[in-house]
Amino acid sequence: MNTLKNFGIKMLTASVLTVLGGSVMAADIHSALSDSKAWADLNLRYEAVDQDNALEDASALTLRTRLGFSSGSVNGFSFTAEVEDSRIVLGQDEFTVGPTGFNVGEYSVIADPETTEVDQAFIQYKADNFTARVGRQVITLDDHRFVGHVGWRQDRQTFDAVSAKYAATDNLELFYSYLYKRNRIFAEAADLDSKDHILHATYTSKIGKFVAYAYLLEVDNDTDNALDTYGVSYDGKMKGESVSWAYGGEFATQSSEAGAGETATDFDASYLNAYVAATFSGVTAKVDYEILGSDDGLYGFATPLATLHKFNGWTDQFLGTPAQGLKDLKLSLSGGLAGGKWLLAYHDFSADDSSNGADDLGSEINVQYTKKFAGKYNFGIKYGTYDAGDIKVDTNRFWMWIGTRF
């Protein structure tokens, strides 16, 4: 089986490289084949949800498999391809995936649909300090707050895009991408054609990292729409004798336009984040304050390309920012235990604009433990419990998983 797989990979790689490189020497192809690599990435996960509403409690056991390979380089060109498959295991299918139509209206949502699709397939050109990619690819920037792969879900987010990265100096890196399709986490049921421009610059100095960005998003659906975000951020570190500090802040402004004529909507909102963390005796204590602003209680600051599960609590109450905006005061502790890592976090949510009567948006506690073992396996268990305020309902979510990559 391995011999057949290796033969198939070599034949496909050789064909692609011949197209990319044109007339290349046999030695170049041999070198590219020698440098090519294949991999498999598997994740088996159990997830359970119960909410204080009319929906049935949900549970899912799913296995996600990714198989991929990357060729070596010929004249700076290479090729990467990856296939992703997600399956329900042992009939554990009591959950809803709304956009796909799976069990709609019966159970709470667990956004892991069954699917088999191309996860990545791109041509890359790399020379000196410049790298360009064309095709389906993973794109992540900074901490995933604005552009991410939503890798927590079994069907992660990728983009059909043209992207380029240039290291102008040892300190300055520039990135641009044009996204013409957003391949979202619901198989193909909620993918969106788009005309998105992603501009990002990073400058690293002795005092920290500075970032400036512009995310100019447009869904390609024959309607007038635009979501433009401009922002800057800073992250710094300082090491003392017994305590190490990390700190930073971010600010962004956003304009949202949709429709034309009398039905047109035009909103403006801002984003603010500030944090400070101290590490001592192997434990990190962090305070993080984030504001997703509101425009007079009618519109909340949006981040549609983000890895949203990573922010504002793991029970996923605020995947879409409510119209009154969102303030999230997060307190967390993390450290090591028995060769693994633990995390405890508390979120206090409130509205940025309470003119519509909703001010208390609830609170949430998150607990997680993860561990790597036997060199290539990873195990995790985590839990989130949300206590509702003026909106939403009480929600509990539990996960346990094991994965490997080889």
Side-chain angles (χ1 to χ4, degrees):
M1 182 66 181
N2 288 334
T3 301
L4 181 60
K5 180 181 73 173
N6 292 335
F7 176 77
I9 290 174
K10 289 183 178 181
M11 290 297 293
L12 180 57
T13 304
S15 300
V16 171
L17 291 173
T18 301
V19 173
L20 293 177
S23 178
V24 296
M25 300 295 292
D28 294 326
I29 295 178
H30 177 76
S31 176
L33 293 176
S34 299
D35 294 336
S36 65
K37 58 182 180 180
W39 64 86
D41 189 312
L42 294 87
N43 188 63
L44 177 67
R45 182 169 70 209
Y46 174 76
E47 181 171 351
V49 187
D50 71 85
Q51 295 180 278
D52 189 14
N53 59 17
L55 295 173
E56 295 288 334
D57 294 348
S59 64
L61 181 63
T62 55
L63 174 65
R64 187 262 298 139
T65 304
R66 294 193 190 111
L67 303 174
F69 81 94
S70 290
S71 72
S73 177
V74 173
N75 296 334
F77 288 96
S78 62
F79 180 73
T80 294
E82 188 174 47
V83 176
E84 180 181 72
D85 178 81
S86 182
R87 294 292 110 192
I88 294 170
V89 179
L90 301 177
Q92 294 293 307
D93 60 355
E94 295 180 339
F95 62 99
T96 289
V97 187
T100 68
F102 184 70
N103 291 339
V104 174
E106 296 184 49
Y107 305 96
S108 294
V109 172
I110 296 177
D112 287 329
E114 285 196 311
T115 181
T116 302
E117 61 184 13
V118 176
D119 187 53
Q120 295 193 89
F122 63 83
I123 296 170
Q124 176 175 286
Y125 175 75
K126 186 173 184 178
D128 299 324
N129 299 328
F130 177 78
T131 302
R133 291 179 176 179
V134 178
R136 183 162 298 180
Q137 56 194 278
V138 170
I139 299 176
T140 64
L141 294 173
D142 302 323
D143 61 354
H144 294 228
R145 190 60 185 99
F146 289 90
V147 182
H149 56 37
V150 199
W152 169 248
R153 301 273 34 126
Q154 300 285 50
D155 176 21
R156 67 178 172 181
Q157 176 171 264
T158 63
F159 303 102
D160 293 352
V162 178
S163 63
K165 181 170 64 176
Y166 176 59
T169 69
D170 291 340
N171 304 100
L172 178 63
E173 184 175 278
L174 307 175
F175 178 83
Y176 169 78
S177 184
Y178 176 71
L179 316 181
Y180 50 92
K181 190 173 184 179
R182 309 174 194 173
N183 305 298
R184 303 170 72 202
I185 65 172
F186 302 103
E188 298 181 356
D191 292 351
L192 295 173
D193 293 331
S194 65
K195 301 176 182 178
D196 303 327
H197 297 272
I198 306 298
L199 299 96
H200 186 274
T202 303
Y203 181 77
T204 305
S205 71
K206 293 181 180 180
I207 63 172
K209 183 177 73 171
F210 298 85
V211 173
Y213 53 81
Y215 305 134
L216 313 178
L217 311 184
E218 179 184 353
V219 177
D220 188 9
N221 59 2
D222 297 323
T223 65
D224 293 331
N225 69 92
L227 183 68
D228 296 340
T229 304
Y230 300 87
V232 292
S233 70
Y234 166 75
D235 295 281
K237 294 181 179 180
M238 181 172 63
K239 189 172 183 179
E241 292 185 4
S242 58
V243 180
S244 296
W245 296 90
Y247 42 84
E250 185 168 4
F251 177 77
T253 62
Q254 183 175 91
S255 64
S256 173
E257 301 176 4
E262 295 182 356
T263 62
T265 60
D266 188 353
F267 297 110
D268 295 293
S270 60
Y271 172 86
L272 178 67
N273 175 255
Y275 72 90
V276 61
T279 300
F280 52 92
S281 302
V283 175
T284 298
K286 184 177 182 181
V287 179
D288 195 319
Y289 186 58
E290 182 181 52
I291 302 176
L292 296 137
S294 173
D295 189 343
D296 294 329
L298 301 174
Y299 171 84
F301 191 99
T303 59
L305 305 187
T307 300
L308 293 167
H309 177 78
K310 185 179 177 182
F311 305 91
N312 309 133
W314 294 337
T315 64
D316 293 340
Q317 299 301 305
F318 301 104
L319 297 180
T321 307
Q324 60 265 44
L326 179 68
K327 294 181 180 179
D328 180 3
L329 175 60
K330 177 183 177 183
L331 310 175
S332 65
L333 292 171
S334 60
L337 177 67
K341 297 179 180 179
W342 61 269
L343 171 67
L344 172 64
Y346 171 78
H347 296 262
D348 182 68
F349 303 114
S350 59
D352 179 57
D353 186 315
S354 58
S355 58
N356 63 3
D359 183 29
D360 177 10
L361 302 189
S363 62
E364 181 165 330
I365 295 174
N366 296 148
V367 183
Q368 177 178 269
Y369 180 77
T370 59
K371 184 175 182 177
K372 294 182 179 180
F373 60 95
K376 60 182 179 181
Y377 296 96
N378 65 84
F379 166 81
I381 183 171
K382 76 178 187 179
Y383 174 74
T385 179
Y386 171 76
D387 185 13
D390 297 331
I391 62 173
K392 308 290 185 176
V393 297
D394 293 350
T395 302
N396 299 302
R397 284 184 179 263
F398 170 81
W399 302 264
M400 182 180 292
W401 68 92
I402 186 169
T404 186
R405 181 182 174 93
F406 56 90

